[in-house]
């Protein structure tokens, strides 16, 4: 296995510290725990940082490789960057709480928290957050983290499609990090354990995007760095 970079060692350590700090606060000071995982708190801003870092990597690759890659590769890379930026904006309701902006009547009536974001919308009594951002996203991430690396390694047609699409493939140690994160956060019996899970996912996903198994795809000609 290739030697891990400093960032590849730092991110899992940081995620572990974030989760273990949550455990410690939960069992020693529940009030501090609530402040730790509150909206616009430390955990949420680390989540945003991870999402924005992943977005920046994708958008940098888009512009850096613009004249060297096929349009489909560039489209997928650009869309990944945009989606991660969108997720970061949604996480903080596009700065609404920070700027003190009042929600429109539509969001006040149809958003579970009365905020200007899509993931908390309620449609016909169904929370979009649960239907799309929890269930669907969990299924997609399961396929992405478990099935895609296997197909990439074992089936040549799948490998060609994944590489031609510019999709970063998870390395084994990264998948292990995600599994450990999911296990630890699920064992913390509190409704806000999802905040720790989201934060860890955002940071680990940035690491996956920056240091994927198929990092060779993102090498610019006459360059030694992805």
């Amino acid at each position: 296995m290739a030697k891990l970079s400093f960032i590849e060692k730092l991110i899992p350590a940081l995620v572990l510290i974030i989760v273990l700090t949550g455990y410690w606060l939960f069992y020693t000071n529940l009030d501090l725990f609530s402040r730790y995982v509150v909206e616009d708190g430390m955990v949420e801003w680390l989540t945003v940082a991870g999402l924005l870092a992943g977005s920046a990597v994708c958008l940098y690759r888009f512009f850096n490789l613009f004249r060297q890659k096929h349009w489909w590769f560039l489209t997928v890379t650009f869309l990944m960057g945009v989606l991660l930026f969108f997720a970061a904006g949604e996480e903080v309701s596009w700065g609404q709480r920070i700027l003190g902006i009042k929600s429109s009547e539509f969001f006040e009536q149809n958003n579970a928290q009365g905020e200007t974001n899509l993931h908390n919308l309620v449609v016909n009594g169904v929370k979009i957050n649960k239907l799309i951002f929890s269930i669907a996203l969990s299924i997609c991430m399961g396929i992405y983290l478990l099935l895609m690396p296997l197909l990439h390694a074992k089936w040549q047609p799948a490998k060609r499609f994944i590489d031609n699409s510019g999709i970063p493939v998870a390395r084994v140690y990264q998948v292990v990090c995600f599994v450990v994160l999911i296990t630890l956060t699920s064992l913390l019996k509190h409704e806000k354990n999802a905040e720790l899970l989201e934060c860890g996912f955002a940071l680990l996903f940035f690491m996956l995007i920056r240091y994927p198994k198929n990092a060779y795809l993102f090498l610019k000609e006459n360059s030694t760095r992805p």
Side-chain angles (χ1 to χ4, degrees), residues 3 20 25 27 43 80 89 93 96 119 130 136-137 150 152-153 166 186 188 195 197 201 210-211 221:
K3 184 178 179 180
L20 292 182
L25 291 175
Y27 285 107
V43 170
M80 284 186 65
S93 297
Q96 176 188 11
H119 70 279
K130 182 176 181 180
L137 185 59
L150 183 62
H152 188 268
S186 65
L188 186 62
E195 300 298 327
L197 178 63
F201 249 81
R210 178 60 182 83
Y211 301 99
E221 290 180 6

Side-chain angles (χ1 to χ4, degrees), residues 134-219:
S134 293
I135 299 175
L137 185 59
S138 296
I139 293 172
C140 290
M141 288 304 297
I143 294 172
Y144 180 70
L145 291 173
L146 299 176
L147 182 59
M148 188 175 293
L150 183 62
L151 291 174
H152 188 268
K154 301 295 184 181
W155 192 27
Q156 196 61 32
K159 182 179 186 298
R160 283 197 299 270
F161 175 77
I162 292 168
D163 285 354
N164 289 337
S165 300
I167 301 173
V169 176
R171 296 162 65 181
V172 173
Y173 85 90
Q174 294 168 347
V175 175
V176 171
C177 287
F178 278 103
V179 172
V180 171
L181 170 66
I182 294 170
T183 302
L184 287 176
T185 53
S186 65
L187 291 175
L188 186 62
K189 302 304 179 182
H190 190 280
E191 60 181 5
K192 286 292 187 177
N193 63 355
E195 300 298 327
L196 297 174
L197 178 63
E198 289 176 6
C199 181
F201 249 81
L203 292 169
L204 291 177
F205 197 62
F206 154 66
M207 181 179 68
L208 189 166
I209 290 173
R210 178 60 182 83
Y211 301 99
K213 177 183 177 182
N214 51 352
Y216 51 81
L217 296 176
F218 308 105
L219 289 170

Side-chain angles (χ1 to χ4, degrees), residues 25-213:
L25 291 175
F26 177 73
Y27 285 107
T28 60
N29 192 322
L30 197 55
D31 180 60
L32 277 179
F33 174 80
S34 298
R35 289 159 61 184
Y36 182 59
V37 296
V38 73
E39 291 180 345
D40 297 328
M42 180 187 300
V43 170
E44 184 167 85
W45 279 108
L46 285 170
T47 304
V48 172
L51 293 169
L52 289 178
S55 175
V57 170
C58 292
L59 294 178
Y60 170 79
R61 286 172 175 166
F62 171 78
F63 289 108
N64 192 47
L65 301 172
F66 190 79
R67 296 183 181 277
Q68 298 184 8
K69 295 294 184 178
H70 190 263
W71 70 269
W72 176 244
F73 182 104
L74 293 170
T75 298
V76 173
T77 301
F78 180 76
L79 287 178
M80 284 186 65
V82 171
L83 286 173
L84 288 169
F85 182 82
F86 176 81
E90 281 285 297
E91 188 69 19
V92 291
S93 297
W94 303 99
Q96 176 188 11
R97 294 187 298 271
I98 300 170
L99 300 175
I101 300 174
K102 182 178 174 60
S103 297
S104 65
E105 183 178 349
F106 172 82
F107 283 104
E108 286 186 348
Q109 295 179 354
N110 296 282
N111 188 285
Q113 297 182 357
E115 297 176 341
T116 306
N117 57 52
L118 299 180
H119 70 279
N120 285 320
L121 285 178
V122 178
V123 179
N124 294 327
V126 178
K127 290 186 177 181
I128 298 298
N129 188 32
K130 182 176 181 180
L131 180 63
I132 297 178
F133 293 90
S134 293
I135 299 175
L137 185 59
S138 296
I139 293 172
C140 290
M141 288 304 297
I143 294 172
Y144 180 70
L145 291 173
L146 299 176
L147 182 59
M148 188 175 293
L150 183 62
L151 291 174
H152 188 268
K154 301 295 184 181
W155 192 27
Q156 196 61 32
K159 182 179 186 298
R160 283 197 299 270
F161 175 77
I162 292 168
D163 285 354
N164 289 337
S165 300
I167 301 173
V169 176
R171 296 162 65 181
V172 173
Y173 85 90
Q174 294 168 347
V175 175
V176 171
C177 287
F178 278 103
V179 172
V180 171
L181 170 66
I182 294 170
T183 302
L184 287 176
T185 53
S186 65
L187 291 175
L188 186 62
K189 302 304 179 182
H190 190 280
E191 60 181 5
K192 286 292 187 177
N193 63 355
E195 300 298 327
L196 297 174
L197 178 63
E198 289 176 6
C199 181
F201 249 81
L203 292 169
L204 291 177
F205 197 62
F206 154 66
M207 181 179 68
L208 189 166
I209 290 173
R210 178 60 182 83
Y211 301 99
K213 177 183 177 182

